[in-house]
């Protein structure tokens, strides 16, 4: 091999080694390199396999609640002439996926009725509709065929965001059943703690 080809080969090899481990190569410009921890040197590898991916574990709707079992929700974002309700006994917060699930019933003064069985992911600010309900149908509960998580921020109906922050989410975490019960009684009010914070 000619000297010129040998230099090219060695240079290529050095570049490959440098690209393969940029964080583990000794920084010759750092006089304190030998005194730094592995973390400060960037030598601690991160193992993605130790992270357990989030898996949804619920979503089966309970029966549509009767009108005399509903609890009224105090929502400022709801249109005039409409009132929101939920069914307190069927509210759940799954211990595995940490999703609060509940019936949300909207009634209009003129007789309109809309019921949805929904879930919230408080940490991602998303909601999902699992089923629709109406007491006058032959089948009062109709399942959504392929329910999807949707952004609360993209939802034009602002009352859903208010439902989340007032009753079911304590910031980025779901509220406990005890906190939800207190919120429904009007003894616990709150909003997302970082709403006003901007970087």
């Amino acid at each position: 091999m000619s000297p010129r080809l040998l230099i090219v080969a060695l240079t290529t090899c050095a570049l490959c080694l440098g690209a393969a481990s940029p964080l583990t190569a000794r920084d010759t410009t750092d006089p304190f390199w030998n005194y730094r921890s592995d973390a400060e040197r960037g030598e601690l590898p991160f193992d993605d396999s130790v992270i357990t991916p989030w898996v949804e574990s619920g979503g089966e709707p309970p029966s549509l609640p009767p009108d005399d079992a509903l609890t009224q929700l105090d929502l400022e974002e709801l249109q005039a002439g409409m009132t929101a309700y939920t069914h307190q006994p069927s509210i759940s917060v799954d211990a595995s996926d940490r999703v609060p699930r509940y019936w949300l019933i909207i009634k209009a003064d003129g007789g309109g009725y809309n019921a949805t069985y929904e879930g919230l992911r408080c940490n991602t600010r998303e909601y999902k509709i699992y089923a629709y309900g109406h007491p006058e149908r032959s089948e009062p509960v109709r399942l959504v065929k392929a329910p999807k998580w949707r952004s609360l921020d993209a939802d034009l109906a602002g009352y859903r965001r208010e439902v989340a922050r007032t009753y079911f989410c304590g910031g980025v975490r779901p509220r406990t059943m005890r906190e939800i019960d207190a919120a429904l009684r009007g003894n616990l009010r709150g909003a997302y703690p970082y709403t006003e914070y901007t970087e």
Side-chain angles (χ1 to χ4, degrees):
M1 181 182 292
S2 70
R4 186 173 182 180
L5 288 176
L6 181 59
I7 291 172
V8 170
L10 290 174
T11 303
T12 303
C13 234
L15 289 173
C16 289
L17 288 173
S21 56
L23 296 178
T24 58
R26 188 182 191 285
D27 184 357
T28 56
T29 64
D30 184 358
F32 302 104
W33 177 264
N34 293 331
Y35 304 101
R36 298 193 186 282
S37 67
D38 290 344
E40 290 173 321
R41 294 176 182 176
E43 294 178 352
L44 292 179
F46 182 75
D47 185 3
D48 290 335
S49 66
V50 300
I51 298 179
T52 303
W54 181 83
V55 177
E56 188 173 8
S57 58
E60 187 67 27
S63 301
L64 185 66
D67 286 351
D68 59 3
L70 300 179
T71 299
Q72 184 173 334
L73 302 178
D74 182 18
L75 301 178
E76 296 177 357
E77 297 291 332
L78 202 59
Q79 280 184 287
M82 294 186 176
T83 309
Y85 303 87
T86 191
H87 182 238
Q88 192 166 352
S90 63
I91 294 171
S92 66
V93 181
D94 193 285
S96 299
D97 61 19
R98 295 172 56 81
V99 172
R101 295 183 175 89
Y102 51 90
W103 276 107
L104 180 62
I105 294 100
I106 308 292
K107 294 183 180 182
D109 291 348
Y113 182 100
N114 183 63
T116 50
Y117 185 67
E118 305 186 1
L120 287 168
R121 289 190 70 188
C122 298
N123 62 327
T124 60
R125 291 176 60 81
E126 292 176 300
Y127 75 98
K128 180 187 279 191
I129 297 176
Y130 299 99
Y132 293 94
H134 200 288
E136 295 180 4
R137 293 197 188 108
S138 56
E139 293 184 10
V141 177
R142 178 171 55 87
L143 296 177
V144 176
K145 290 184 179 179
K148 296 181 180 179
W149 290 104
R150 304 180 187 279
S151 171
L152 280 171
D153 297 320
D155 185 33
L156 296 178
Y159 66 84
R160 272 200 179 89
R161 291 187 289 276
E162 190 177 2
V163 166
R165 70 174 178 262
T166 304
Y167 296 103
F168 297 107
C169 296
V172 296
R173 69 167 180 86
R175 284 186 169 145
T176 64
M177 287 302 303
R178 184 176 179 179
E179 290 172 331
I180 292 171
D181 291 343
L184 290 172
R185 293 194 306 270
N187 296 332
L188 180 68
R189 307 292 286 181
Y192 292 102
Y194 308 114
T195 300
E196 303 301 327
Y197 177 77
T198 55
E199 294 184 355

